[in-house]
């Protein structure tokens, strides 16, 4: 017995021997086909499977059928709660198709090797929510595994991309601060300030209202980033009365920084953020936030990766959920 | 060409043909052995790999070597931020060994099938942070894949288990509320109240101080659970002046419920929670919390699953991080 055999333990042949059938009949029984198996034979096979503790080898099955019961999702990191919620939404959508989901984290420079590893592992489809380099993007196309890229602002070459309308969603949020609450100096906090569609939406809303662009303070998307950005804003831009935050988590950190100075939202500074995550509801005050319809996007990503990965871009409306941080109620 | 071949695309045989070598030499080149390959031949093989876009098949490699470069982690759901942070910590520990990590979610009733799927996919080791039924636990032992169970309060049969000292950690937290801040009526909020080691720690601390057991309000671990529990506490137990929360996320929801009534922590109700998650620092007020040393636990889980899965239980000290919600400063 080779080392590999020892690791795999009980084989299909062992099951066949105990049940007194051919290995093909074991396969037909476990895979529900392609040929029918008599009920009594099936019972004998399943009893042998149980007695021996036989576990069909998914890697072998994937090799022989070229199919697998697994989808893979790549995100920058589930440590950012937006991606954790997205992973859970994709998992629910996969489960509705009887598929399991595995999740792998990959920051931009790691996307290519992570995708390569998943493709080699015979996943049935790949959903990528990570930001990828141009090289990695070429790999997705070459890989042969059906791939959908989600959380994208705009089309990428001949890939199928899905994503919220970051720009219009942010415009609405900033517009609300201007029209409903009369703010004239509105900052933008967090994220990648250059080329981000949210920044474009913020710019558009201010320009449309004839207002000067407030300060834009770049940073990441975490609470720590939000605290840093808000501390800088309070120190350097006392004229600002409201801020649009690139993520809910960023806004949560911004609220903490505001509290350090004894300030509160919305009285001392009004906030609107982006994501529509469950956490936004539990901030004090509850966050007014632009909602990404992650369940719809996850559902469509799973359906399309299984059936139709024709190139194109699908954009989802991101509606404003109005709560307290903007000044409402 | 069969359907399976088409799905897999370029084969090792294609590479061998283009490079003018045997398929074995292609393997030796790509796997750095077991036999040596002349430099010029190696260069020809790698050029053919590049030209054809050949990608070695991880499933096939796993089958032939019985090894893989992949660890798997099973958690109840990454949507609970504690598990998202745990997943990130395990991923960092895996990366330090040159291994990738895939994460699968499984609620208690789904642990067995999820583990079966991962084992069949030839992962090198399995780290389970999910609560499993007794049946599923038997499966881990039978599976043959090295398995470590983390986040456990106490030993499970002949498995290797790791986990924080929930009981002593909670005792310290409750003790702090009693000794440093003079609370006499201290509630317990959230989680599974029966048999949870945190509840035991809370009970022990109150008993040791000669105090009556305050109310224990069962629930889950999410912000929504915390809001529900705190609303009930404020409505039904006005005599309570402090509460121990089973998780940081629960405490965040409890703070939101307190704010609904115009109340604040620690003045109207002092809080200590459990987890030591990054989010605890950004709550207003910042949470005093019992810290689970997830990096140490993740590091040991990866090291042990690769090298030494002898049965036993490793317990980690969970220290109190003192911030504002308890009444300090």
């Amino acid at each position: 017995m080779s080392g590999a055999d020892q690791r795999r333990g009980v084989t299909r042949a062992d099951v066949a021997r105990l049940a007194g059938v051919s290995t093909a009949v074991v396969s037909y029984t476990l895979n529900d086909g392609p040929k029918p198996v008599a009920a009594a034979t099936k019972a004998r096979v399943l009893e042998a499977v149980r007695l021996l503790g036989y576990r069909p080898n998914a890697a072998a099955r994937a090799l022989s059928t070229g199919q697998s019961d697994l989808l893979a999702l790549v995100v920058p990191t589930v440590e950012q709660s937006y991606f954790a919620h997205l992973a859970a939404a994709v998992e629910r959508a996969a489960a509705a198709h009887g598929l399991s989901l595995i999740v792998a984290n990959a920051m931009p420079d790691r996307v290519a090797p992570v995708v390569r590893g998943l493709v080699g592992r015979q996943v049935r489809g790949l959903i990528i929510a990570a930001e990828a380099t141009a090289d990695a993007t070429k790999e997705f196309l070459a890989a042969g595994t059906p791939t959908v890229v989600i959380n994208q602002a705009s089309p990428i070459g001949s890939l199928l991309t899905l994503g919220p309308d970051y720009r219009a969603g942010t415009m609405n949020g900033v517009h609300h601060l201007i029209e409903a609450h009369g703010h004239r100096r509105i900052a933008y906090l967090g994220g990648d300030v250059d080329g981000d569609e949210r920044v474009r939406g913020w710019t558009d809303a201010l320009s449309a209202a004839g207002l000067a662009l407030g300060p834009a303070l770049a940073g990441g998307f975490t609470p720590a980033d939000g605290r840093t950005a808000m501390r800088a804003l309070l120190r350097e831009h006392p004229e600002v009365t409201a801020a649009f935050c690139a993520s809910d988590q960023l806004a949560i950190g911004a609220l903490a920084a505001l509290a350090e100075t004894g300030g509160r939202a919305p009285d001392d500074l009004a906030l609107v953020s982006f994501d529509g995550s469950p956490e936004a509801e539990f901030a004090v005050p509850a966050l007014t936030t632009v909602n990404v319809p992650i369940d719809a996007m996850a559902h469509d990503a799973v359906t399309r990766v299984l059936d139709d990965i024709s190139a194109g871009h699908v954009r989802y409306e991101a509606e404003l959920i109005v709560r307290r941080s903007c000044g409402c109620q």
Side-chain angles (χ1 to χ4, degrees), chain A:
Chain A
M1 217 186 201
S2 77
D5 283 341
Q6 281 171 352
R7 281 184 61 89
R8 285 205 299 281
V10 179
T11 66
R12 193 171 53 159
D14 298 330
V15 174
R17 208 169 301 126
L18 183 64
V21 300
S22 69
T23 54
V25 168
V26 175
S27 292
Y28 300 158
T29 301
L30 296 176
N31 300 330
D32 281 325
K35 292 194 181 168
V37 179
T41 310
K42 195 176 272 189
R44 223 159 58 231
V45 170
L46 292 176
E47 177 65 8
V49 164
R50 198 186 63 75
L51 285 170
L52 294 171
Y54 173 64
R55 187 161 295 115
N57 186 309
R61 203 168 53 227
L63 272 180
S64 69
T65 64
Q67 286 284 341
S68 89
D69 52 358
L70 204 67
L71 293 183
L73 171 70
V74 181
V75 297
T77 169
V78 291
E79 225 171 354
Q80 285 185 21
S81 76
Y82 172 82
F83 293 110
H85 294 298
L86 192 61
V90 173
E91 193 193 26
R92 286 190 292 270
H97 285 86
L99 299 169
S100 297
L101 181 74
I102 53 175
V103 181
N105 290 348
M107 288 300 179
D109 60 327
R110 288 275 306 152
V111 173
V114 165
V115 165
R116 220 175 290 140
L118 292 168
V119 165
R121 215 160 286 274
Q122 308 283 12
V123 295
R124 177 117 164 243
L126 198 55
I127 299 173
I128 300 182
E131 218 178 297
T133 59
D135 276 0
T137 307
K138 272 182 224 143
E139 291 223 36
F140 308 157
L141 286 171
T145 300
T147 300
V148 174
V149 183
I150 60 175
N151 230 39
Q152 288 296 313
S154 46
I156 307 178
S158 47
L159 286 168
L160 171 59
T161 53
L162 316 179
D165 194 334
Y166 292 97
R167 188 172 187 162
T170 303
M171 263 193 82
N172 278 345
V174 176
H175 185 78
H176 179 78
L177 286 168
I178 298 168
E179 294 301 321
H181 302 292
H183 292 283
R184 323 299 291 165
R185 295 307 306 266
I186 303 171
Y188 183 92
L189 302 185
D192 187 6
V193 167
D194 287 333
D196 189 300
E197 286 287 309
R198 281 165 284 213
V199 176
R200 293 224 175 87
W202 167 75
T203 305
D204 290 351
L206 293 177
S207 301
L211 297 174
L213 292 187
L217 285 77
F221 293 93
T222 70
D225 297 322
R227 181 171 60 188
T228 303
M230 180 57 83
R231 284 175 179 165
L233 183 72
L234 294 172
R235 197 170 54 234
E236 296 160 20
H237 302 281
E239 75 286 5
V240 166
T241 61
F244 188 92
C245 296
S247 77
D248 291 342
Q249 290 296 315
L250 196 92
I252 286 170
L255 287 174
L258 197 54
E260 290 170 352
T261 66
R264 300 187 69 159
D267 304 345
D268 300 291
L269 199 90
L271 292 181
V272 173
S273 57
F274 198 97
D275 281 346
S277 65
E279 287 82 359
E281 190 184 339
F282 296 96
V284 179
L287 296 171
T288 293
T289 177
V290 179
N291 183 52
V292 178
I294 57 172
D295 284 314
M297 187 167 65
H299 171 271
D300 293 350
V302 169
T303 309
R304 297 285 304 261
V305 86
L306 293 174
D307 289 333
D308 169 20
I309 52 157
S310 52
H313 182 68
V314 183
R315 191 167 277 144
Y316 296 82
E317 195 180 344
E319 290 183 6
L320 192 66
I321 300 177
V322 175
R323 296 201 183 96
R324 307 285 307 270
S325 66
C326 59
C328 278
Q329 284 196 1

